Amino acid sequence: MSKLVIMGAVEFAPERRDQVLPLLMAHRARCLKDEPGTLRFEVVLPREDDSRILIYEVYQDDDAFEVHRNAPSRAQWLQDTTGLDVKVIATRCSPVE
């Protein structure tokens, strides 16, 4: 199977960025530590938009992404962001190699 890339945006109210960013970085660290199929998880901040954080994730394959979706870290992320009105928009992509 080929690698899976997730291009995404985490959206929220601009005044919540200082709350959401550390939660996302903790989620990132857990994923990279505990999910062998999570190969890369980059977090970037748009310079002119305080209401979004962009993410770039690379998984070994589709199965590794399903493991990620059902992993304890994702459940923790969902719990941590309850009440923050966070929306995640993701696009599944195939890398060109």
Side-chain angles (χ1 to χ4, degrees), residues 4 59 61-71 92:
L4 171 67
Y59 296 91
D61 52 29
D62 286 42
D63 291 340
F65 181 64
E66 286 308 311
V67 168
H68 166 73
R69 288 179 42 82
N70 295 298
R92 293 179 187 222

Side-chain angles (χ1 to χ4, degrees), residues 44-92:
V44 296
L45 299 175
R47 291 184 177 182
E48 298 177 9
D49 185 354
D50 291 341
S51 67
R52 292 188 315 149
I53 299 171
L54 303 177
I55 53 176
Y56 173 81
E57 304 169 34
V58 180
Y59 296 91
Q60 182 175 330
D61 52 29
D62 286 42
D63 291 340
F65 181 64
E66 286 308 311
V67 168
H68 166 73
R69 288 179 42 82
N70 295 298
S73 183
R74 183 165 181 268
Q76 183 68 50
W77 160 258
L78 294 173
Q79 180 180 338
D80 290 347
T81 57
T82 298
L84 296 179
D85 198 25
V86 171
K87 180 179 179 183
V88 178
I89 301 166
T91 302
R92 293 179 187 222

Side-chain angles (χ1 to χ4, degrees), residues 1-77:
M1 296 190 97
S2 65
K3 292 179 183 171
L4 171 67
V5 173
I6 300 295
M7 303 289 292
V10 181
E11 297 181 344
F12 43 84
E15 65 273 8
R16 299 234 187 236
R17 185 157 106 174
D18 289 342
Q19 290 174 284
V20 174
L21 182 58
L23 298 174
L24 183 58
M25 295 305 291
H27 173 56
R28 173 189 181 273
R30 289 189 304 265
C31 293
L32 291 171
K33 177 181 172 276
D34 299 334
E35 300 170 15
T38 301
L39 305 177
R40 193 165 175 187
F41 193 129
E42 302 295 330
V43 176
V44 296
L45 299 175
R47 291 184 177 182
E48 298 177 9
D49 185 354
D50 291 341
S51 67
R52 292 188 315 149
I53 299 171
L54 303 177
I55 53 176
Y56 173 81
E57 304 169 34
V58 180
Y59 296 91
Q60 182 175 330
D61 52 29
D62 286 42
D63 291 340
F65 181 64
E66 286 308 311
V67 168
H68 166 73
R69 288 179 42 82
N70 295 298
S73 183
R74 183 165 181 268
Q76 183 68 50
W77 160 258

